[in-house]
Amino acid sequence: MLTLETLVPTVASGSFVWAWLLIALPLGSAALLLVAGKAANAWGHWLAVLAPLASFALALVYFIDLLGRPTAERSVRDQVYSWITTGGWDFSLALQLDPLSLLFLLLVTGVGSLIHIYSLGYMAHDPNRRRFFAYLNLFIAAMLILVLADDYLVLFVGWEGVGLASYLLISFWQERPSAAAAGKKAFIVNRVGDLGLLLAIFTCLAMFGSTKFTVVNAGVGQVSSGWAAFLGFMLLLAACGKSAQVPLQTWLLDAMEGPTPVSALIHAATMVTAGVYLVVRSGAVYAQAPSAQLAVAIVGTVTLLVGAWIGCAKDDIKKVLAGSTMSQIGYMMLAAGIGPAGYAFAIFHLLTHGFFKANMFLGAGSIMHATDGDVDMRHYGGLAKVMRITFVTFAAGYLAIIGLPFFSGAYSKDHIIEAAWEQQPVLGALALLGAGVTAFYMTRLMLMTFFGHKRWREGVKPHESPAVMWGPLVLLALGSAGLGMVLNGWIGRWLEPIGAEAPAHASWLPDFSNWLSFAVLGVVAVGVVIAWLVFGRRPVPDQPPQQVSPLTTIGRHDLYVDQAYVSGIAGGTYALGNGLARFDDRGLDKAVDGLGLGAQGAGWLARRWQNGYVRSYGLTMLIGLLAVGVVLILTQLV
Amino acid sequence: MIWLEFTAPAIDYARLAPFIIVLGAACLGVLVEAFVERTWRHEVQTGLSVIALLGAVVAVIAQWDSYGLADSVAGSGAGLIGFDFGSVMIDGPTQIAWLTLLGFTLLSLLLFAERSVHGGHSAFTSAAAAIPGSRSEAEATSAQLEHAEVFPLALFSLAGMMLLTAGQDLLVMFVALEILSLPLYVLAALARHRRLGSQEAALKYFLLGAAASGMFLFGAALLFAYSGSFDLAGLALAQTAGVGSDWLLIAGLALVAAGLLFKIGAVPFHQWAPDVYQGAPTPVTGFMSVATKVAAVFALLRLFYVGLGPSWWTWRPVFVVAAIATMALGAVVGIVQSDVKRLLAYSSITHAGFILVGVAGAFTAVSLAADGTISHALGSVASITTYLVAYGCATLGCFACVTLVQSQGREATDLAAWSGLGRSKPWFGAVMLISLLSLAGIPLTAGFVGKLTVFVAAWRGGLWWLVLVAIVLSVVAVYVYFRLVAVLFFQPPRPGVEVKTPGPATVVVLALSVLGTLAFGLVPGPLTKLLASVGAFLVP
């Protein structure tokens, strides 16, 4: 059986000893921008763009180096810093560059750099531009720590770091109460997931005495299946929080309050996929815990349907995309829950999604840029003619996500549906249904935004965005279109060393040897056609219709999960809090007052005791000596 | 007539060189005081002391290889080697203790030598024999007189400390205890400002110290009566053999314990500390609080682990009780202090309690395997040494800062006077913050590593419940330090209080102490590894 970490990492040498620079560059840039203050206002954003670009260049060097190596040597461990190493203790910070982390490295720094460049235009007039770029750099650094860690503890540092950066950036426009609340919501919901990761780390320390991936993976086969399952479920909980999977999905829709480049980078392309990364990294744990693995697949399937459902009902373009992100990450989780057969597909879809979703989010940003920040699709319409580049690039992302053959999504998503069908036909069928719904809501988005009659508000004159914004869009669109073709024949073998099974189908041509491929195409076509019948043929109403099906109503309210949490969990918490407050006022306060008086009394006594007279000090010593004698005599009696 | 035949013992002077250098320099310092022109004495004494200390450090390191230390650092662990001089044992812990003592004394003496922050003269009185406030005092001050004797005094005290850590004979330990104490009594009396308080502190210290010495000596006598031997090996042998009256043993044990607990500043023998720390000149306080503690802790460890090791089941409860009482009292009373020096005194008491947790833990990690390799786990001795290094760096950093905060030409040690200083002088705030975080035991500082290793050793020694108590009390102690942090950073500055620009000597102290705190906190591996390899006493 294949398990992860079958590679023995080689010690870093040559250029790899500089791997820490990958993290240090954006981190240093973030620190400099924050510390330098207003002095950096003029040039800070340029530095901030250079930092991830430099990391990207370095990542490319490492990628090419690893490509040139034999498969067995494609894992490099670079010990950066050893905190405590003595006896049984070994807490150190080491970076691990292996096929999996390298793909993430390229995605984070590559797409991250493009989004940085895009932000030059998007945030050009924001008074807090420097702070924005500092946080973006901080995010890049934290995300790189997350994916380069060779140890759950270090991963946790990055995990919390991206959580912090996400919080700071969601509530970047902190003067808006809704943005501030959204940031808090994201942070608090993520805490629930973090608890899972912490418990997993504690379990690892208790079971294996170390949190290194290699040690955990080697040791997990020896522990009882109950503990392995516990570990698996805790890691799943962590993944649910970070990746906005059911039941911790509620924060992602609100997170759209952040600036759009943030939504593209953090809440679509990179951070929210960290949960998938965690599950794939912990493949050895899930290999020992079939129940947890099945739970991963179920969570993924449920989320992919929930996200698609929400995507169908929203009028806010960013929220549609957010629902779609949830849904697509659901596909990845489903793939990760299939086991080694699905790992390569999970990562494959993660990469293609990183491109086409970042592409579409930035496209949405470009539209908002053109419409004075309006996000309501009912106020768009007919934008294809005035924003040609945005339209064409967005269309590339659209075709990729619905899975038109030869576009990148087609390769990665079809693989997942097929693999799911083989393992669990029920999940496979649901994933197939999800593909149809995806086609429906994405087509709806396209039709409402780019086609039909103009429903622009007064004074809004849409125009194409500047080159600094459409340049990244073009590059991302090229990726959305072609990445699947390029990677399909290669990624399975590349990821084999980390435990993924190479897929049967690995060529640049779409796979039409399988009836399922046709079924997917058919379902997608049905989704597109229905959307056209509803939104393309008829004019789109200016106001959201009130007489709608219950399905739409439920979708508009995010499936009422927020309400359930508020009345269920938050309500209970409030009740508990009120009760505690009463107890505090009437019981504890009195007790604390008493303690305070007691402490004052003790202080007074101590002062009396510490009176400055040598004779009294001498007496204390004598009494102390007697006390020592008494203790000694007592030990003799016992 | 019977002629006593006398064979001169063969003494390996090279191994004793560090001790001899320090003692020699102290004697030379007395001559300097007698023969060198007054205007040059301060400089000559400073140079002599620094050279002597550096020379002693070199002499320790020159012997490094022969103890297997170098190999141990490299990881092979060649084994433990010691040099037994009968009354004095020079083994790994002795070497490490000497190195620690020399290092911290060097930093303290730099504070002794600092003049620029005190308005061009040292922190010591111009004429110790003059009545405070008298005309002769004023004349001496206006004539710019100074007592450069402080340097040889400190060196004599250091020699006593070095002998104490190496002594494996009760009488040698007693003599060493006196050699280290007597100069300190004098030094404590030499403050330039608030001289009456300084003299009062010195007298208190002397009287109580004399009582403690008496207890130690009486205890030594009783232990001799019990075992018929002054040296620790004979003492241990008597306990294993089970000869002699247990009551003699218990009484002697209680008395020697009391004598050493006094020096450490453990409850209930702690009351001198706040008064003396407050009254003594701040550089002397720094020296006392760090170097004396290091020496006394090592003496306590050697006496109880080697000499009284067979009775550890008997004495352990004493240290457990003393540890709890010391930690609790230091932390709780520290909360209500309104004077920075007193606050640091209670901090020093609290830390004595944490050290006693390690002493009571009595966990021996060093086990010589058949192939001569040493396990690299941290035993009690090694972990306590780690703790002492961390404590010393942070404490000296704090006391160096205390010398800088002045109001009307005098040190302003009132807590209120320190308001907002961290914000008005960021570098000062940074030094204090780092030192206080280390004292509080926050991760990524040396203090955390010290606490961690001591607690782990005690836990492995079987005292897990004591470790839990210690963790709770360390949280209380955090409050003490953060209260000071809050004053430094979150209160508006007071007018009239200034942070003096440190002279070069103080800069060195501040830099090295902060560097040590951060370095041992960020990369403790080399230090703990080194200590793990040498951290056990050799039984002669």
Side-chain angles (χ1 to χ4, degrees), chain A residues 81 83-84 86-87 89 609-610 612 614 617-618 620-621 624-625 632 635-636, chain B residues 204 250 255 258 268-269 271 275 314 317-318 329 342 376 448 456 521-522 524:
Chain A
Y81 161 69
W83 188 33
I84 299 181
T86 184
W89 303 91
W609 192 24
Q610 189 76 28
V614 171
Y617 292 1
T620 307
M621 281 175 66
L625 180 62
L632 281 172
T635 61
Q636 294 299 299
Chain B
K204 275 181 196 165
I250 287 173
L255 284 160
F269 309 102
Q271 282 192 306
D275 292 13
T314 307
V318 174
L329 184 129
R342 281 187 90 83
H376 281 283
F448 169 75
V456 167
L522 292 170

mmCIF file of all heavy atoms in Angstrom, chain A residues 81 83-84 86-87 89 609-610 612 614 617-618 620-621 624-625 632 635-636, chain B residues 204 250 255 258 268-269 271 275 314 317-318 329 342 376 448 456 521-522 524:
data_model
loop_
_atom_site.group_PDB
_atom_site.id
_atom_site.type_symbol
_atom_site.label_atom_id
_atom_site.label_comp_id
_atom_site.label_asym_id
_atom_site.label_seq_id
_atom_site.Cartn_x
_atom_site.Cartn_y
_atom_site.Cartn_z
ATOM 1 N N TYR A 81 15.981 26.300 11.479
ATOM 2 C CA TYR A 81 16.192 26.820 12.824
ATOM 3 C C TYR A 81 15.762 25.747 13.806
ATOM 4 O O TYR A 81 14.715 25.132 13.656
ATOM 5 C CB TYR A 81 15.354 28.085 12.954
ATOM 6 C CG TYR A 81 15.049 28.566 14.340
ATOM 7 C CD1 TYR A 81 16.058 29.071 15.144
ATOM 8 C CD2 TYR A 81 13.755 28.533 14.827
ATOM 9 C CE1 TYR A 81 15.771 29.527 16.403
ATOM 10 C CE2 TYR A 81 13.462 28.984 16.085
ATOM 11 C CZ TYR A 81 14.469 29.488 16.868
ATOM 12 O OH TYR A 81 14.176 29.950 18.116
ATOM 13 N N TRP A 83 14.860 25.048 17.602
ATOM 14 C CA TRP A 83 14.559 25.783 18.829
ATOM 15 C C TRP A 83 15.105 25.012 20.017
ATOM 16 O O TRP A 83 16.055 25.430 20.661
ATOM 17 C CB TRP A 83 13.054 26.019 18.936
ATOM 18 C CG TRP A 83 12.714 26.929 20.075
ATOM 19 C CD1 TRP A 83 13.457 27.966 20.538
ATOM 20 C CD2 TRP A 83 11.563 26.861 20.893
ATOM 21 N NE1 TRP A 83 12.835 28.573 21.585
ATOM 22 C CE2 TRP A 83 11.674 27.926 21.839
ATOM 23 C CE3 TRP A 83 10.438 26.036 20.929
ATOM 24 C CZ2 TRP A 83 10.691 28.140 22.796
ATOM 25 C CZ3 TRP A 83 9.478 26.274 21.872
ATOM 26 C CH2 TRP A 83 9.600 27.311 22.798
ATOM 27 N N ILE A 84 14.527 23.880 20.328
ATOM 28 C CA ILE A 84 15.029 23.073 21.428
ATOM 29 C C ILE A 84 15.293 21.685 20.884
ATOM 30 O O ILE A 84 14.393 21.041 20.359
ATOM 31 C CB ILE A 84 14.009 22.990 22.569
ATOM 32 C CG1 ILE A 84 13.726 24.381 23.134
ATOM 33 C CG2 ILE A 84 14.533 22.097 23.684
ATOM 34 C CD1 ILE A 84 12.742 24.366 24.267
ATOM 35 N N THR A 86 17.114 18.575 22.591
ATOM 36 C CA THR A 86 17.916 17.903 23.586
ATOM 37 C C THR A 86 17.080 16.777 24.147
ATOM 38 O O THR A 86 15.870 16.912 24.283
ATOM 39 C CB THR A 86 18.379 18.861 24.697
ATOM 40 O OG1 THR A 86 19.239 18.143 25.578
ATOM 41 C CG2 THR A 86 17.227 19.427 25.473
ATOM 42 N N GLY A 87 17.732 15.690 24.435
ATOM 43 C CA GLY A 87 16.974 14.557 24.922
ATOM 44 C C GLY A 87 15.898 14.183 23.936
ATOM 45 O O GLY A 87 16.134 14.069 22.741
ATOM 46 N N TRP A 89 13.393 15.987 23.172
ATOM 47 C CA TRP A 89 12.742 17.153 22.577
ATOM 48 C C TRP A 89 13.349 17.470 21.239
ATOM 49 O O TRP A 89 14.546 17.437 21.068
ATOM 50 C CB TRP A 89 12.921 18.368 23.489
ATOM 51 C CG TRP A 89 12.405 18.179 24.844
ATOM 52 C CD1 TRP A 89 13.076 17.708 25.922
ATOM 53 C CD2 TRP A 89 11.075 18.434 25.294
ATOM 54 N NE1 TRP A 89 12.253 17.671 27.006
ATOM 55 C CE2 TRP A 89 11.022 18.106 26.649
ATOM 56 C CE3 TRP A 89 9.930 18.923 24.668
ATOM 57 C CZ2 TRP A 89 9.864 18.238 27.404
ATOM 58 C CZ3 TRP A 89 8.785 19.057 25.414
ATOM 59 C CH2 TRP A 89 8.753 18.708 26.762
ATOM 60 N N TRP A 609 5.066 41.960 58.921
ATOM 61 C CA TRP A 609 6.084 40.931 59.093
ATOM 62 C C TRP A 609 7.430 41.470 58.603
ATOM 63 O O TRP A 609 8.460 41.314 59.231
ATOM 64 C CB TRP A 609 5.650 39.700 58.280
ATOM 65 C CG TRP A 609 6.428 38.472 58.554
ATOM 66 C CD1 TRP A 609 7.124 38.186 59.683
ATOM 67 C CD2 TRP A 609 6.587 37.371 57.681
ATOM 68 N NE1 TRP A 609 7.705 36.956 59.576
ATOM 69 C CE2 TRP A 609 7.382 36.431 58.345
ATOM 70 C CE3 TRP A 609 6.116 37.069 56.405
ATOM 71 C CZ2 TRP A 609 7.726 35.216 57.781
ATOM 72 C CZ3 TRP A 609 6.449 35.859 55.843
ATOM 73 C CH2 TRP A 609 7.255 34.946 56.526
ATOM 74 N N GLN A 610 7.389 42.134 57.450
ATOM 75 C CA GLN A 610 8.610 42.693 56.865
ATOM 76 C C GLN A 610 8.808 44.082 57.475
ATOM 77 O O GLN A 610 8.727 45.099 56.806
ATOM 78 C CB GLN A 610 8.439 42.777 55.344
ATOM 79 C CG GLN A 610 9.696 43.141 54.574
ATOM 80 C CD GLN A 610 10.665 41.998 54.460
ATOM 81 O OE1 GLN A 610 10.257 40.842 54.470
ATOM 82 N NE2 GLN A 610 11.943 42.294 54.386
ATOM 83 N N GLY A 612 11.349 45.564 59.028
ATOM 84 C CA GLY A 612 12.618 46.259 59.014
ATOM 85 C C GLY A 612 13.472 46.029 60.245
ATOM 86 O O GLY A 612 14.608 46.471 60.300
ATOM 87 N N VAL A 614 15.797 43.897 62.537
ATOM 88 C CA VAL A 614 16.631 42.708 62.418
ATOM 89 C C VAL A 614 16.203 41.651 63.424
ATOM 90 O O VAL A 614 16.177 40.460 63.106
ATOM 91 C CB VAL A 614 18.108 43.080 62.617
ATOM 92 C CG1 VAL A 614 18.960 41.841 62.718
ATOM 93 C CG2 VAL A 614 18.599 43.947 61.492
ATOM 94 N N TYR A 617 13.437 39.713 62.062
ATOM 95 C CA TYR A 617 13.887 38.830 60.974
ATOM 96 C C TYR A 617 14.602 37.615 61.554
ATOM 97 O O TYR A 617 14.433 36.485 61.090
ATOM 98 C CB TYR A 617 14.846 39.573 60.038
ATOM 99 C CG TYR A 617 14.228 40.690 59.224
ATOM 100 C CD1 TYR A 617 12.879 41.003 59.351
ATOM 101 C CD2 TYR A 617 14.996 41.413 58.329
ATOM 102 C CE1 TYR A 617 12.324 42.029 58.617
ATOM 103 C CE2 TYR A 617 14.448 42.436 57.583
ATOM 104 C CZ TYR A 617 13.111 42.746 57.739
ATOM 105 O OH TYR A 617 12.579 43.757 57.010
ATOM 106 N N GLY A 618 15.429 37.882 62.545
ATOM 107 C CA GLY A 618 16.155 36.774 63.170
ATOM 108 C C GLY A 618 15.199 35.771 63.784
ATOM 109 O O GLY A 618 15.391 34.556 63.659
ATOM 110 N N THR A 620 12.196 35.188 62.738
ATOM 111 C CA THR A 620 11.621 34.421 61.626
ATOM 112 C C THR A 620 12.554 33.290 61.224
ATOM 113 O O THR A 620 12.125 32.161 60.979
ATOM 114 C CB THR A 620 11.387 35.342 60.416
ATOM 115 O OG1 THR A 620 10.639 36.456 60.833
ATOM 116 C CG2 THR A 620 10.654 34.600 59.323
ATOM 117 N N MET A 621 13.848 33.618 61.152
ATOM 118 C CA MET A 621 14.803 32.576 60.765
ATOM 119 C C MET A 621 14.785 31.430 61.755
ATOM 120 O O MET A 621 14.829 30.256 61.375
ATOM 121 C CB MET A 621 16.213 33.165 60.671
ATOM 122 C CG MET A 621 16.475 33.918 59.391
ATOM 123 S SD MET A 621 18.082 34.719 59.370
ATOM 124 C CE MET A 621 19.188 33.333 59.385
ATOM 125 N N GLY A 624 11.759 29.543 61.257
ATOM 126 C CA GLY A 624 11.930 28.793 60.017
ATOM 127 C C GLY A 624 12.761 27.545 60.238
ATOM 128 O O GLY A 624 12.439 26.468 59.730
ATOM 129 N N LEU A 625 13.836 27.716 61.001
ATOM 130 C CA LEU A 625 14.698 26.569 61.284
ATOM 131 C C LEU A 625 13.914 25.489 62.004
ATOM 132 O O LEU A 625 14.011 24.297 61.675
ATOM 133 C CB LEU A 625 15.882 27.033 62.131
ATOM 134 C CG LEU A 625 16.888 25.949 62.508
ATOM 135 C CD1 LEU A 625 17.518 25.365 61.260
ATOM 136 C CD2 LEU A 625 17.962 26.519 63.413
ATOM 137 N N LEU A 632 11.296 17.697 58.832
ATOM 138 C CA LEU A 632 12.200 16.554 58.803
ATOM 139 C C LEU A 632 11.729 15.468 59.760
ATOM 140 O O LEU A 632 11.747 14.278 59.444
ATOM 141 C CB LEU A 632 13.616 17.004 59.175
ATOM 142 C CG LEU A 632 14.391 17.678 58.042
ATOM 143 C CD1 LEU A 632 15.687 18.253 58.573
ATOM 144 C CD2 LEU A 632 14.677 16.672 56.953
ATOM 145 N N THR A 635 8.845 13.597 58.398
ATOM 146 C CA THR A 635 9.203 12.576 57.403
ATOM 147 C C THR A 635 9.694 11.311 58.086
ATOM 148 O O THR A 635 9.542 10.219 57.547
ATOM 149 C CB THR A 635 10.308 13.066 56.456
ATOM 150 O OG1 THR A 635 11.472 13.344 57.236
ATOM 151 C CG2 THR A 635 9.892 14.278 55.691
ATOM 152 N N GLN A 636 10.300 11.486 59.248
ATOM 153 C CA GLN A 636 10.760 10.295 59.958
ATOM 154 C C GLN A 636 9.586 9.479 60.484
ATOM 155 O O GLN A 636 9.641 8.254 60.562
ATOM 156 C CB GLN A 636 11.654 10.696 61.141
ATOM 157 C CG GLN A 636 12.948 11.333 60.727
ATOM 158 C CD GLN A 636 13.805 10.418 59.902
ATOM 159 O OE1 GLN A 636 14.207 9.354 60.360
ATOM 160 N NE2 GLN A 636 14.073 10.792 58.663
ATOM 161 N N LYS B 204 22.082 44.861 58.666
ATOM 162 C CA LYS B 204 21.092 43.780 58.708
ATOM 163 C C LYS B 204 21.639 42.530 58.036
ATOM 164 O O LYS B 204 21.533 41.418 58.548
ATOM 165 C CB LYS B 204 19.831 44.205 57.951
ATOM 166 C CG LYS B 204 18.852 44.987 58.758
ATOM 167 C CD LYS B 204 17.654 45.292 57.866
ATOM 168 C CE LYS B 204 16.828 46.388 58.479
ATOM 169 N NZ LYS B 204 15.886 46.950 57.519
ATOM 170 N N ILE B 250 19.549 14.473 61.334
ATOM 171 C CA ILE B 250 18.432 15.365 61.016
ATOM 172 C C ILE B 250 18.710 16.786 61.488
ATOM 173 O O ILE B 250 18.505 17.754 60.746
ATOM 174 C CB ILE B 250 17.144 14.830 61.658
ATOM 175 C CG1 ILE B 250 16.692 13.592 60.888
ATOM 176 C CG2 ILE B 250 16.062 15.880 61.671
ATOM 177 C CD1 ILE B 250 15.547 12.880 61.517
ATOM 178 N N LEU B 255 20.190 22.320 59.908
ATOM 179 C CA LEU B 255 20.998 23.518 60.111
ATOM 180 C C LEU B 255 21.775 23.905 58.856
ATOM 181 O O LEU B 255 21.816 25.083 58.483
ATOM 182 C CB LEU B 255 21.946 23.298 61.295
ATOM 183 C CG LEU B 255 21.248 23.389 62.660
ATOM 184 C CD1 LEU B 255 22.079 22.709 63.737
ATOM 185 C CD2 LEU B 255 20.991 24.838 63.028
ATOM 186 N N ALA B 258 19.375 25.355 56.393
ATOM 187 C CA ALA B 258 18.988 26.723 56.727
ATOM 188 C C ALA B 258 20.078 27.698 56.306
ATOM 189 O O ALA B 258 19.801 28.763 55.738
ATOM 190 C CB ALA B 258 18.709 26.839 58.220
ATOM 191 N N PRO B 268 11.674 30.343 54.745
ATOM 192 C CA PRO B 268 11.497 31.533 55.582
ATOM 193 C C PRO B 268 12.803 32.262 55.922
ATOM 194 O O PRO B 268 12.849 32.934 56.944
ATOM 195 C CB PRO B 268 10.879 30.930 56.843
ATOM 196 C CG PRO B 268 11.511 29.577 56.949
ATOM 197 C CD PRO B 268 11.814 29.129 55.556
ATOM 198 N N PHE B 269 13.808 32.105 55.096
ATOM 199 C CA PHE B 269 15.085 32.783 55.389
ATOM 200 C C PHE B 269 15.320 33.908 54.380
ATOM 201 O O PHE B 269 16.430 34.167 53.953
ATOM 202 C CB PHE B 269 16.232 31.772 55.333
ATOM 203 C CG PHE B 269 15.973 30.549 56.159
ATOM 204 C CD1 PHE B 269 15.570 29.363 55.565
ATOM 205 C CD2 PHE B 269 16.096 30.588 57.544
ATOM 206 C CE1 PHE B 269 15.309 28.250 56.337
ATOM 207 C CE2 PHE B 269 15.835 29.479 58.307
ATOM 208 C CZ PHE B 269 15.432 28.300 57.700
ATOM 209 N N GLN B 271 13.924 37.195 54.576
ATOM 210 C CA GLN B 271 13.489 38.555 54.923
ATOM 211 C C GLN B 271 14.562 39.613 54.734
ATOM 212 O O GLN B 271 14.257 40.777 54.557
ATOM 213 C CB GLN B 271 12.963 38.579 56.355
ATOM 214 C CG GLN B 271 11.576 38.007 56.441
ATOM 215 C CD GLN B 271 10.949 38.294 57.775
ATOM 216 O OE1 GLN B 271 11.518 37.985 58.815
ATOM 217 N NE2 GLN B 271 9.764 38.864 57.760
ATOM 218 N N ASP B 275 15.111 44.223 51.988
ATOM 219 C CA ASP B 275 15.743 45.367 52.631
ATOM 220 C C ASP B 275 17.147 45.588 52.095
ATOM 221 O O ASP B 275 17.553 46.715 51.797
ATOM 222 C CB ASP B 275 15.800 45.150 54.153
ATOM 223 C CG ASP B 275 14.413 45.177 54.772
ATOM 224 O OD1 ASP B 275 13.438 45.112 53.984
ATOM 225 O OD2 ASP B 275 14.290 45.245 55.999
ATOM 226 N N THR B 314 14.633 11.854 52.992
ATOM 227 C CA THR B 314 14.380 12.645 54.199
ATOM 228 C C THR B 314 14.306 14.131 53.889
ATOM 229 O O THR B 314 13.417 14.830 54.350
ATOM 230 C CB THR B 314 15.505 12.393 55.216
ATOM 231 O OG1 THR B 314 15.624 10.999 55.416
ATOM 232 C CG2 THR B 314 15.214 13.085 56.534
ATOM 233 N N PRO B 317 11.169 16.548 51.301
ATOM 234 C CA PRO B 317 9.992 17.327 51.710
ATOM 235 C C PRO B 317 10.338 18.741 52.162
ATOM 236 O O PRO B 317 9.549 19.664 51.953
ATOM 237 C CB PRO B 317 9.416 16.508 52.874
ATOM 238 C CG PRO B 317 9.911 15.139 52.648
ATOM 239 C CD PRO B 317 11.259 15.272 52.025
ATOM 240 N N VAL B 318 11.527 18.899 52.764
ATOM 241 C CA VAL B 318 11.918 20.244 53.191
ATOM 242 C C VAL B 318 11.959 21.183 51.999
ATOM 243 O O VAL B 318 11.424 22.297 52.021
ATOM 244 C CB VAL B 318 13.296 20.200 53.884
ATOM 245 C CG1 VAL B 318 13.767 21.616 54.185
ATOM 246 C CG2 VAL B 318 13.234 19.367 55.137
ATOM 247 N N LEU B 329 5.090 33.189 48.288
ATOM 248 C CA LEU B 329 5.308 34.455 48.959
ATOM 249 C C LEU B 329 5.925 35.473 48.007
ATOM 250 O O LEU B 329 5.483 36.619 47.919
ATOM 251 C CB LEU B 329 6.208 34.263 50.174
ATOM 252 C CG LEU B 329 6.392 35.547 50.975
ATOM 253 C CD1 LEU B 329 6.096 35.303 52.437
ATOM 254 C CD2 LEU B 329 7.766 36.153 50.797
ATOM 255 N N ARG B 342 12.759 46.683 45.230
ATOM 256 C CA ARG B 342 12.102 45.692 46.107
ATOM 257 C C ARG B 342 11.344 44.679 45.276
ATOM 258 O O ARG B 342 11.340 43.489 45.576
ATOM 259 C CB ARG B 342 11.137 46.400 47.062
ATOM 260 C CG ARG B 342 11.821 47.047 48.236
ATOM 261 C CD ARG B 342 10.799 47.570 49.223
ATOM 262 N NE ARG B 342 10.443 46.586 50.233
ATOM 263 C CZ ARG B 342 11.161 46.365 51.328
ATOM 264 N NH1 ARG B 342 12.258 47.049 51.543
ATOM 265 N NH2 ARG B 342 10.783 45.476 52.209
ATOM 266 N N HIS B 376 21.651 12.571 26.773
ATOM 267 C CA HIS B 376 21.598 14.018 26.686
ATOM 268 C C HIS B 376 20.318 14.586 27.261
ATOM 269 O O HIS B 376 19.895 15.662 26.901
ATOM 270 C CB HIS B 376 21.799 14.468 25.239
ATOM 271 C CG HIS B 376 23.242 14.446 24.854
ATOM 272 N ND1 HIS B 376 24.125 15.407 25.233
ATOM 273 C CD2 HIS B 376 23.953 13.544 24.156
ATOM 274 C CE1 HIS B 376 25.326 15.118 24.770
ATOM 275 N NE2 HIS B 376 25.252 13.992 24.111
ATOM 276 N N PHE B 448 11.837 31.175 29.610
ATOM 277 C CA PHE B 448 10.929 30.077 29.309
ATOM 278 C C PHE B 448 11.682 28.760 29.254
ATOM 279 O O PHE B 448 11.252 27.750 29.814
ATOM 280 C CB PHE B 448 10.222 30.328 27.980
ATOM 281 C CG PHE B 448 9.469 29.133 27.472
ATOM 282 C CD1 PHE B 448 8.276 28.771 28.058
ATOM 283 C CD2 PHE B 448 9.964 28.374 26.435
ATOM 284 C CE1 PHE B 448 7.584 27.658 27.617
ATOM 285 C CE2 PHE B 448 9.290 27.259 25.991
ATOM 286 C CZ PHE B 448 8.090 26.899 26.578
ATOM 287 N N VAL B 456 10.456 20.127 33.681
ATOM 288 C CA VAL B 456 10.515 18.776 33.106
ATOM 289 C C VAL B 456 11.350 17.867 34.001
ATOM 290 O O VAL B 456 10.979 16.721 34.273
ATOM 291 C CB VAL B 456 11.096 18.832 31.677
ATOM 292 C CG1 VAL B 456 11.451 17.445 31.187
ATOM 293 C CG2 VAL B 456 10.088 19.477 30.739
ATOM 294 N N GLY B 521 16.972 31.963 24.452
ATOM 295 C CA GLY B 521 15.551 31.707 24.232
ATOM 296 C C GLY B 521 15.267 31.217 22.835
ATOM 297 O O GLY B 521 14.442 30.334 22.623
ATOM 298 N N LEU B 522 15.977 31.794 21.868
ATOM 299 C CA LEU B 522 15.703 31.425 20.479
ATOM 300 C C LEU B 522 16.427 30.154 20.092
ATOM 301 O O LEU B 522 15.887 29.322 19.367
ATOM 302 C CB LEU B 522 16.119 32.571 19.548
ATOM 303 C CG LEU B 522 15.269 33.843 19.652
ATOM 304 C CD1 LEU B 522 15.900 34.978 18.878
ATOM 305 C CD2 LEU B 522 13.871 33.583 19.132
ATOM 306 N N PRO B 524 18.200 27.614 22.253
ATOM 307 C CA PRO B 524 18.733 27.069 23.501
ATOM 308 C C PRO B 524 19.493 25.765 23.305
ATOM 309 O O PRO B 524 20.169 25.308 24.222
ATOM 310 C CB PRO B 524 17.480 26.846 24.345
ATOM 311 C CG PRO B 524 16.404 26.628 23.355
ATOM 312 C CD PRO B 524 16.760 27.403 22.116
#
